[in-house]
Amino acid sequence: MINRFFALIKDQSGATAIEYGIIGALIAVAAIVSMAKIGHTLSNTFSTVATNVSTKSR
């Protein structure tokens, strides 16, 4: 029983999958944050352009 416990503790076969999962989650969070920031900036830019176009066309 104790030998099985120590073998289970030494087994690191799932560690790589967990590490890749954590890295993937961090990349996803960074992508979401940057896309949200770019989306907000882009929305402001289009609003400014739309305002300028409608003002100039009058």
Side-chain angles (χ1 to χ4, degrees):
M1 179 76 175
I2 292 180
N3 289 338
R4 285 185 182 173
F5 178 71
F6 285 120
L8 183 62
I9 290 175
K10 290 180 182 180
D11 183 21
Q12 295 185 357
S13 61
T16 303
I18 292 171
E19 290 168 355
Y20 282 132
I22 291 171
I23 291 170
L26 290 174
I27 290 171
V29 167
I32 290 169
V33 168
S34 61
M35 286 180 197
K37 198 171 226 181
I38 289 171
H40 183 67
T41 303
L42 200 57
S43 176
N44 288 341
T45 302
F46 281 125
S47 294
T48 304
V49 170
T51 303
N52 289 336
V53 167
S54 67
T55 310
K56 304 266 184 196
S57 66
R58 289 182 187 182

